[in-house]
Amino acid sequence: MDISKSTKKKLLLAIGAAAIALLGVWAWGNLSDNGPGEGFVGGNGRIEATEIDVSTKLPGRVQEILVREGDFVTAGQAVARMQLDSLNAQRAEAEAGRQQAQYSAVAAQAQVTLRQSDVAAAKAQVAQRASELDAAKRRLARSQTLSAEGAASVQELDDDRARVRGAEAALAATRAQVTSAEAAVAAAQAQVVGAHSSVDAASATVARIDADISDSVLKAPRDGRVQVRVAQPGEVLAAGGRVLNLLDLSDVYMTFFVPETVAGRIALGSEVRIVLDAMSGLVIPARVSFVASQAQFTPKTVETESERQKLMFRVRAQIPPELLNRNIQQVKTGVPGMAWLKLDAKAQWPKSLALDPRVAAAAVRD
């Protein structure tokens, strides 16, 4: 049966299309880049960075937030402020308490001085009573001699004996007064110590409130970029309430997974090359900074369903801080890509994973 020209043309087009498809399949299988080959292992992952939450230490109301999402901040920079009305009132109260304690300490010291003067006066009286007792004893001795010779009456002798006993009692009383005055001095000195302790306690309270006031100005703990403003001005937060979320762009890495068959061959510091999906022409140098000590099943985001039955080890590839600092404006997190790790020290990186001269210096270990 004769075949029309149109039918022949359609048949030839179909055959040509099938040939092109077969050629494409062959080219994909034989010419596509399937990695560096032997001596290397790879895994897919995403660029990550250390996240830092800037939170309020005390409960309170957010007064203002000084940065916007995407802003770069430096360590110690003020990024938000909490309302201080309550803390300022507490500080005023604590300062008044400290002044009162200081006045009490001055008054207690004055009491010590007063009691010490009482001791001095009592000791002077002791000296006076001792002198009177000595005079009374001398008079009694003369009276006894004169009475024995008949030159003095018995009444005079009895009077002199009474004077000695009175002087002795007076001396004992003044000595007791000295002991009481010295005890009063000790008590006053104890009050001084207590008053100074009250001053110290009040000063500590003022210092604590000052620290709370200082902490109410929230500062960036390190250099980074504001990722999320969690709270807004006017919101009331509990203690530890998150205000901002920062990314430390000096600590950027990619986490990927390798089979358990090669995990034992990976050493810390091993060389890694990262290629991001969004910038396939740029090769980023990195070093292994962490290898898990325990295997786990492969996460669903890493391989196909069948591969999830295999045990894998988590590996972290750290990007050099020098490279990050030079390109801080271009650093993005969450970008997917592929990490290739060199297992064999003698293996040579292929041209597709060669480093750009501008970033090659950052691949050298410190």
Side-chain angles (χ1 to χ4, degrees):
M1 182 176 59
D2 294 336
I3 302 175
S4 64
K5 290 183 179 181
S6 60
T7 304
K8 287 181 179 180
K9 188 176 180 180
K10 292 180 180 179
L11 181 60
L12 289 174
L13 290 175
I15 294 173
I20 292 173
L22 291 173
L23 182 61
V25 171
W26 177 86
W28 182 87
N30 294 275
L31 301 179
S32 62
D33 185 7
N34 291 319
E38 295 293 333
F40 298 88
V41 66
N44 64 309
R46 291 181 180 271
I47 294 295
E48 303 176 56
T50 299
E51 295 188 15
I52 308 161
D53 286 333
V54 178
S55 304
T56 175
K57 178 181 176 182
L58 301 171
R61 188 183 301 276
V62 180
Q63 181 172 342
E64 61 178 333
I65 297 179
L66 307 175
V67 293
R68 296 174 296 179
E69 293 180 353
D71 286 352
F72 286 87
V73 296
T74 57
Q77 177 182 340
V79 294
R81 290 191 178 95
M82 304 296 292
Q83 202 171 70
L84 297 177
D85 295 348
S86 176
L87 287 175
N88 287 334
Q90 292 178 25
R91 192 190 188 285
E93 181 182 3
E95 183 62 34
R98 177 168 65 177
Q99 291 180 359
Q100 183 179 5
Q102 289 173 340
Y103 294 148
S104 297
V106 173
Q109 186 61 52
Q111 285 294 319
V112 170
T113 303
L114 178 63
R115 298 308 176 192
Q116 287 174 339
S117 65
D118 291 344
V119 170
K123 287 182 177 180
Q125 288 183 351
V126 167
Q128 182 180 355
R129 296 293 182 262
S131 177
E132 292 174 353
L133 175 61
D134 182 67
K137 287 181 177 180
R138 291 176 183 275
R139 184 184 181 88
L140 175 61
R142 290 194 297 271
S143 296
Q144 288 175 340
T145 301
L146 293 174
S147 177
E149 294 175 354
S153 65
V154 176
Q155 182 63 44
E156 291 177 349
L157 179 61
D158 291 339
D159 291 342
D160 290 338
R161 286 174 177 167
R163 290 191 185 93
V164 168
R165 288 193 293 270
E168 288 177 343
L171 178 60
T174 53
R175 283 175 175 171
Q177 290 176 356
V178 170
T179 301
S180 176
E182 289 175 342
V185 169
Q189 289 174 337
Q191 290 179 350
V192 169
V193 174
H196 283 301
S197 297
S198 298
V199 172
D200 293 339
S203 299
T205 300
V206 172
R208 176 183 59 78
I209 296 174
D210 284 340
D212 290 341
I213 291 175
S214 177
D215 287 336
S216 295
V217 179
L218 307 185
K219 299 178 180 179
R222 63 181 78 177
D223 296 350
R225 184 172 62 203
V226 179
Q227 181 173 331
V228 181
R229 282 177 52 159
V230 182
Q232 298 298 329
E235 291 187 27
V236 177
L237 303 179
R242 297 170 62 208
V243 178
L244 296 170
N245 178 266
L246 305 181
L247 286 178
D248 181 2
L249 297 183
S250 65
D251 185 16
V252 179
Y253 53 89
M254 175 179 281
T255 300
F256 60 100
F257 292 81
V258 298
E260 56 183 339
T261 54
V262 300
R265 299 168 58 187
I266 300 175
L268 293 179
S270 297
E271 191 175 358
V272 179
R273 302 280 172 90
I274 297 174
V275 180
L276 301 178
D277 293 352
M279 297 181 291
S280 58
L282 177 63
V283 179
I284 303 173
R287 296 279 178 177
V288 173
S289 62
F290 169 80
V291 180
S293 58
Q294 186 175 3
Q296 65 183 86
F297 287 107
T298 312
K300 295 181 179 181
T301 57
V302 175
E303 295 292 348
T304 61
E305 181 72 23
S306 60
E307 291 295 324
R308 291 200 295 274
Q309 302 305 318
K310 295 182 179 180
L311 288 176
M312 306 286 280
F313 280 82
R314 184 163 57 95
V315 179
R316 176 179 292 179
Q318 196 83 24
I319 300 176
E322 298 85 355
L323 178 60
L324 294 168
N325 291 334
R326 287 201 297 268
N327 302 274
I328 195 69
Q329 298 290 341
Q330 287 75 39
V331 177
K332 301 291 188 297
T333 57
V335 180
M338 191 74 181
W340 294 101
L341 189 152
K342 184 163 66 172
L343 298 173
D344 186 356
K346 297 180 181 179
Q348 296 296 322
W349 289 103
K351 292 183 179 180
S352 60
L353 293 177
L355 293 179
D356 188 299
R358 294 172 296 178
V359 299
V364 181
R365 293 184 65 188
D366 295 333

